[in-house]
Amino acid sequence: EVWTAQQRQILSFHGISMEDVQQAYAWLLQLECLDVHRFGAMDELENTMVELLARVKVPMKLFRQSPADLPRSVRVKARILITGSVRDGEALASLEIFRILVQKIMQRECAVVRSANELMAYRPWAYYLVVLLSRGMLRDAGFAK
């Protein structure tokens, strides 16, 4: 048995039978999936989220224009660059959250830099480079580069 007696009792209390659970699992298996590549390019992640929002019919007028739709010259003018351990999923998510917070508070364009090439692309406009330290980052060969 996958479900304990206590779990089945709780489901039963809410009017959910084990047959209902099995039907829900069968329904989930029929749904079309979206692949999210956590370490993919930010544009790719944003496009996946836009597709997800479109599928669940969220009005897109609630969101600002996607950076992918902006001219390349506008996208590379970040004044504050943020980097850290970009090979660790949790650390990368922390970098993105930190970017959002700094951008909102400072009212300046910020960007998460994942490579030396990206750093060089942003360099002409950048004033600051923030390194967000996380556990094990100094042993990361990718960060050392």
Side-chain angles (χ1 to χ4, degrees):
E1 281 288 321
V2 176
W3 298 83
T4 66
Q6 182 182 13
Q7 290 170 329
R8 288 194 303 268
Q9 182 182 9
I10 291 170
L11 289 172
S12 177
F13 177 76
H14 292 288
I16 301 169
S17 69
M18 291 311 295
E19 184 177 306
D20 294 334
V21 172
Q22 290 171 346
Q23 288 175 354
Y25 276 118
W27 177 77
L28 282 173
L29 292 173
Q30 294 173 2
L31 294 178
E32 186 178 344
C33 296
L34 280 177
D35 291 329
V36 178
H37 304 284
R38 290 175 56 184
F39 299 106
M42 201 53 170
D43 290 346
E44 182 183 339
L45 290 171
E46 288 176 359
N47 291 338
T48 303
M49 291 305 114
V50 167
E51 184 178 347
L52 172 66
L53 293 171
R55 285 187 186 185
V56 295
K57 297 179 177 45
V58 172
M60 294 309 291
K61 65 183 177 184
L62 298 174
F63 301 95
R64 67 182 178 91
Q65 187 177 22
S66 168
D69 298 334
L70 298 173
R72 183 73 181 153
S73 61
V74 175
R75 279 196 276 165
V76 295
K77 292 187 178 177
R79 300 291 187 200
I80 303 169
L81 304 180
I82 302 164
T83 193
S85 182
V86 295
R87 294 182 186 211
D88 175 37
E90 290 178 19
L92 184 58
S94 298
L95 293 173
E96 289 296 336
I97 292 168
F98 185 74
R99 179 193 61 81
I100 291 166
L101 293 173
V102 169
Q103 190 165 312
K104 184 174 183 177
I105 292 169
M106 301 294 291
Q107 296 294 306
R108 296 285 182 256
E109 273 302 313
C110 300
V112 172
V113 179
R114 298 178 183 205
S115 69
N117 291 340
E118 283 185 12
L119 179 66
M120 295 310 291
Y122 285 108
R123 186 176 173 191
W125 299 278
Y127 292 140
Y128 303 101
L129 174 64
V130 178
V131 179
L132 195 61
L133 299 175
S134 59
R135 185 178 304 180
M137 187 180 90
L138 298 177
R139 287 175 278 199
D140 183 3
F143 177 72
K145 290 180 182 180

